[in-house]
Amino acid sequence: MNDLVLMRKNLFRKPVRTVLLIVSILIAFLIFCVMGSFTRSINDFNALPNRMVTVSKINFTESLPIAHYDKIAGTQGVAAATHLNWFGGYYQDPVKGFMPVFAVDPDSYFTVYKEDLQIPEAQREAFFKDRTAMLAAQPVAERYGWKVGQHIPLNSNIFSQADGRRVWDFTLVGTIPTPPGSSQTGSVLIHYDYFNDTITFGHDRIGWVPFLTTGADQNGKVAAAIDARFANSADETATQDEAEFNKGFAAQLGNIALVVSLVVSAAFAAILLIVGTTMTLAVRERTREVGVMKSLGFSSPRVLRMVLGESLLLAFLGAGLGVAAAAGVLAVIPAASGGAAPPIHFDPQMAGWSALIALALGLVTGIAPALSAYRLRIVDALGRR
């Protein structure tokens, strides 16, 4: 019987206690991996270095006059521009059926986002020709069972029509493939002209203006020129590159990094306390056994390694199961959200960080009881009741 077998048997000599400890560690690593992967994924969109976005200086939720779009498109250094408006759409249920619906200008939108709009030519043409046409990301269409050619009623929780209805009827003419990192993840596209003609307020207003510069080296100059043009106007602007805009959009969910740090720190602090106390008690319960082992020839360094090994084995078992559970949970999120959420996927780096944290956890919780066993004299151990 080698030391590893002895460590395993000692660890599971009280199965219920050990299983509860493993579950506690599992939950901590599950939270760590899920939230860490989520934080990374919400910023994991493909951003072109020369694609920028102009929004209201107040907040990107504030609208801009459509006249701004024409002026931005005509700015020196701007190669192509488009505009979007948030529709606030949902299908049937305002919570479960929520989706990012954008009112766009088809011609310019397909120019600025052509890399992420690889759809068949027939579907593209159908979208361009019909004002009531709609394109949906493939996962969204699959979630609701939508088929090309089907008439889809979409509700808005922001806008209404002249007759008071909040439902618009669209025809699904195509679906958009959304590989990881696609800017169209979860998106549903409708015509801005149709939207603008039917709403009861907010006419000739747009949400934001994405555009391509003639080169990434021109970004700063173009941004300064645009924002200077609208300075001191009723609708001042803030222009930034697409990557920064995506981060700002994600920040509306809250300070994710801070939340992750606080939750994970609290979880591991609690686990550290629980596991450390339990390991100390476990070694104290085996004081006489440690004395017997030393009397049989087990050296103090060997006993120290075995006690420390138990702590490390416990930490790595819990961490491994937590990482596996996180990978499983994140694998089902895309299907559960129907593509409406960002492409949340398990970040392999989380496994590496988990291994390092498990190592630290095992060492910190095991070092005190291991040193106690190391220093224990045979006569004291056998004499203790």
Side-chain angles (χ1 to χ4, degrees), residues 4-22:
L4 182 60
V5 175
L6 282 174
M7 285 187 287
R8 178 177 58 81
K9 287 184 175 295
N10 280 330
L11 183 61
F12 285 93
R13 64 190 298 158
K14 291 192 174 181
V16 174
R17 182 173 66 185
T18 301
V19 169
L20 290 175
L21 286 174
I22 290 175

Side-chain angles (χ1 to χ4, degrees), residues 332-379:
V332 303
I333 285 180
S337 69
I344 311 300
H345 54 273
F346 180 76
D347 181 6
Q349 291 186 11
M350 291 292 100
W353 281 109
S354 295
L356 290 175
I357 293 172
L359 177 63
L361 180 65
L363 291 174
V364 171
T365 57
I367 192 65
L371 287 174
S372 177
Y374 175 84
R375 294 168 180 160
L376 190 63
R377 296 187 303 172
I378 296 175
V379 64

Side-chain angles (χ1 to χ4, degrees), residues 186-248:
S187 296
V188 174
L189 306 180
I190 61 175
H191 279 244
Y192 175 79
D193 287 344
Y194 175 52
F195 160 79
N196 192 50
D197 289 345
T198 54
I199 56 178
T200 54
F201 67 93
H203 289 285
D204 298 327
R205 305 283 294 186
I206 54 179
W208 57 92
V209 181
F211 61 89
L212 298 173
T213 62
T214 53
D217 58 332
Q218 298 295 310
N219 288 1
K221 182 179 178 181
V222 172
I226 291 172
D227 293 341
R229 184 167 193 170
F230 302 112
N232 301 316
S233 71
D235 295 281
E236 293 187 284
T237 61
T239 303
Q240 56 198 319
D241 63 56
E242 187 179 32
E244 287 301 315
F245 174 76
N246 289 339
K247 290 179 181 178

Side-chain angles (χ1 to χ4, degrees), residues 45-93:
F45 289 104
N46 296 330
L48 295 182
N50 67 324
R51 190 154 61 202
M52 305 193 74
V53 181
T54 295
V55 297
S56 169
K57 188 175 182 179
I58 298 173
N59 190 283
F60 82 90
T61 59
E62 293 289 325
S63 63
L64 297 169
I66 197 168
H68 275 33
Y69 163 68
D70 296 322
K71 294 174 182 177
I72 291 170
T75 302
Q76 185 175 2
V78 174
T82 189
H83 58 81
L84 294 86
N85 209 87
W86 182 261
F87 181 72
Y90 64 91
Y91 179 65
Q92 297 180 338
D93 186 280

